[in-house]
Amino acid sequence: MIALDATHDPARRSWVETANDPASDFPIQNLPFGRFRPAGSAQPWRIGAAIGDQVLDLRLAREQGGWGRVASAWLEPLAEGELAPFMALGAGARRGLRAVLAMALGEGSERRAALQACLVPQAAVEYALPCRIGDYTDFYTGIHHATAVRKLFRPDNPLLPNYPWVPIGYHGRASSIVVDGTPVRRPLGQLKGPDDAVPRLAPTQRLDHELELGFLIGTGNAQGEPIAIGEAEAHWFGTVLLNDWSARDVQAWEYQPLGPFLSKNFATTISPWVVTPEALAPFRVPFERAADQPQPLPYLDSPANRAGGAFDIVLEVGLQTAAMREAGVPHQRLMQSNFRDSYWTIAQLITHHTIGGCNLGSGDLLGSGTQSGPGAGQGGSLLELSEGGRKPITLANGETRTFLLDGDSIELRAHCARPGARRIGFGRCEGHVLAAVMPA
């Protein structure tokens, strides 16, 4: 577990004035990492830290000098425009650099004059994936999503018997992971209705989103050497928002017996800013299972995980139609849930993934699964919110939706807030839908 220190002090302020706005996602207590360059340019990608509405260019910052030998070594891979080599240095380097940057960006810092010229407005940049994602596994930790989906299709058997025991997951497709703002093309796939004699190739008519978090691995493990539950969080570098786009009608026809394939592999969108475990430390909460639920097997259990392995992260989904965008109307919030309701913790996912000997590597991505809430209207997908398409959602402008139409945009947001801590956010994870292209 990460101890709170001076970097978490809610009274700490930055000389970057916009970071002191209570509504900012990126106060000095956050300092997430991302990969950026000036918008519309062909300049090399570079690594930055978000502070207020600015990005601190870490290549330019390192060139200013004055960091000391150790901090300069931490900044070196970041100055080359690559996050993965820094991720592989481990938690000590990440925590050390956080402390150094917090000092340099703090109110009254002697580094202000040198670093002022290293700031770039976020409004003037474009983003890439924060690192090369070597592999991608998507879990199914949202028990309220799992229960709701099973009730829609198998009301007499809402959960499979292995669900309370095993962190269910499947291997996804890393090549189609894209960053916030990248358009998503409506996919083609085989569709077969209940009255169709044979399937047909067609664009999906039931395009959906899934509200998830993604966890990037920092340091990996050797093949055949599992990561124990007490060591798992040391391998976790940071967290992003993740939209696991889904073609529900393609999924219904293809998923048996081996699970989703084309219904999931066409696109996964993540947010550009990687929020570190240190930034999330004030928002830990106990991991608890109801007394009538099976308790985790010993390899997935530890006193530390029970005491603070879960996190209080508020999650939201917004929808903007083409008509709303043309009228200048922002995304309308569809739902809100909380990651503290996840059935498994981050540490448990890492441990279970490796228990059979699988080797994780720097930059690997683990998806949480859809994070629905327990209440009505807290579904993390349109499949749940529209009850399988049977109950259209009416938007404020009178439009209705069961599933996504061309021109629609989905935006994920998240933040952490509690008394005695500074509110932090994750930025935006947005993608809008383009029309399908049929083969010639």
Side-chain angles (χ1 to χ4, degrees):
M1 295 295 176
I2 297 167
L4 300 188
D5 57 29
T7 67
H8 300 98
D9 182 355
R12 194 181 192 107
R13 292 172 60 84
S14 173
W15 52 261
V16 181
E17 283 299 327
T18 54
N20 302 321
D21 182 345
S24 174
D25 274 358
F26 306 124
I28 197 168
Q29 292 81 0
N30 193 349
L31 300 180
F33 295 101
R35 201 161 182 245
F36 77 101
R37 68 183 179 191
S41 76
Q43 293 185 24
W45 296 102
R46 53 195 66 188
I47 302 299
I51 178 75
D53 62 357
Q54 304 289 308
V55 182
L56 178 66
D57 185 325
L58 295 179
R59 179 179 66 83
L60 296 181
R62 185 174 186 270
E63 291 174 355
Q64 296 299 317
W67 295 101
R69 181 180 59 82
V70 175
S72 185
W74 291 333
L75 285 166
E76 184 175 358
L78 300 174
E80 296 298 322
E82 297 292 340
L83 187 57
F86 175 74
M87 296 166 70
L89 294 178
R94 188 185 65 238
R95 293 170 191 165
L97 185 58
R98 170 185 170 85
V100 168
L101 292 178
M103 185 69 69
L105 292 167
E107 197 170 52
S109 168
E110 296 177 355
R111 305 303 307 277
R112 175 173 182 170
L115 295 182
Q116 188 86 51
C118 304
L119 295 176
V120 184
Q122 291 177 25
V125 307
E126 60 188 20
Y127 299 106
L129 292 174
C131 64
R132 179 185 177 277
I133 297 171
D135 220 331
Y136 167 47
T137 300
D138 198 21
F139 283 92
Y140 199 41
T141 71
I143 190 171
H144 303 296
H145 171 73
T147 302
V149 170
R150 296 290 292 185
K151 283 182 177 179
L152 282 173
F153 299 110
R154 298 184 182 181
D156 55 341
N157 185 21
L159 272 183
L160 292 173
N162 64 348
Y163 189 89
W165 298 99
V166 179
I168 302 294
Y170 70 93
H171 293 290
R173 184 73 186 174
S175 66
S176 54
I177 298 173
V178 296
V179 74
D180 161 69
T182 306
V184 172
R185 180 76 60 182
R186 181 178 296 272
L188 306 176
Q190 285 195 23
L191 311 182
K192 186 181 184 299
D195 300 323
D196 296 336
V198 296
R200 69 189 191 282
L201 178 69
T204 178
Q205 299 303 301
R206 293 165 72 90
L207 182 61
D208 201 358
H209 70 273
E210 288 190 350
L211 168 64
E212 304 193 24
L213 290 174
F215 313 114
L216 286 164
I217 298 299
T219 55
N221 61 301
Q223 189 171 5
E225 298 182 6
I227 298 172
I229 186 75
E231 302 169 359
E233 285 196 6
H235 296 263
W236 163 44
F237 179 82
T239 301
V240 294
L241 290 165
L242 186 152
N243 184 351
D244 180 28
W245 301 90
S246 300
R248 300 298 186 188
D249 41 8
V250 177
Q251 185 176 359
W253 172 238
E254 75 175 8
Y255 85 101
Q256 296 189 53
L258 295 181
F261 182 34
L262 300 188
S263 58
K264 297 278 192 175
N265 73 357
F266 60 95
T268 302
T269 304
I270 66 172
S271 52
W273 293 109
V274 184
V275 177
T276 64
E278 288 72 33
L280 295 176
F283 308 101
R284 288 184 178 272
V285 291
F287 167 71
E288 300 172 323
R289 283 277 174 87
D292 61 349
Q293 289 284 312
Q295 299 305 301
L297 292 179
Y299 80 97
L300 293 173
D301 190 25
S302 75
N305 191 67
R306 289 194 300 271
F311 291 87
D312 184 355
I313 304 174
V314 177
L315 306 166
E316 299 180 351
V317 176
L319 171 65
Q320 183 190 58
T321 69
M324 292 166 63
R325 188 159 51 253
E326 186 175 347
V329 177
H331 289 74
Q332 176 179 327
R333 193 173 79 185
L334 295 180
M335 58 77 68
Q336 186 180 86
S337 62
N338 197 301
F339 184 57
R340 70 186 303 164
D341 292 321
S342 175
Y343 201 71
W344 299 98
T345 68
I346 300 166
Q348 288 169 326
L349 299 187
I350 293 171
T351 292
H352 183 69
H353 201 305
T354 65
I355 197 64
C358 177
N359 50 315
L360 297 175
S362 297
D364 283 0
L365 178 67
L366 310 183
S368 68
T370 306
Q371 296 301 304
S372 302
Q378 287 191 296
S381 66
L382 288 171
L383 180 70
E384 298 161 83
L385 295 175
S386 71
E387 297 186 12
R390 293 191 293 268
K391 292 187 177 181
I393 300 163
T394 300
L395 303 173
N397 68 352
E399 292 183 90
T400 61
R401 289 292 185 275
T402 52
F403 293 96
L404 296 170
L405 300 182
D406 294 346
D408 286 350
S409 165
I410 286 289
E411 179 184 73
L412 311 185
R413 294 273 185 176
H415 70 273
C416 302
R418 71 164 180 81
R422 185 69 156 81
R423 177 196 182 277
I424 69 164
F426 286 71
R428 185 188 75 163
C429 178
E430 186 270 344
H432 69 269
V433 180
L434 302 180
V437 175
M438 291 293 292

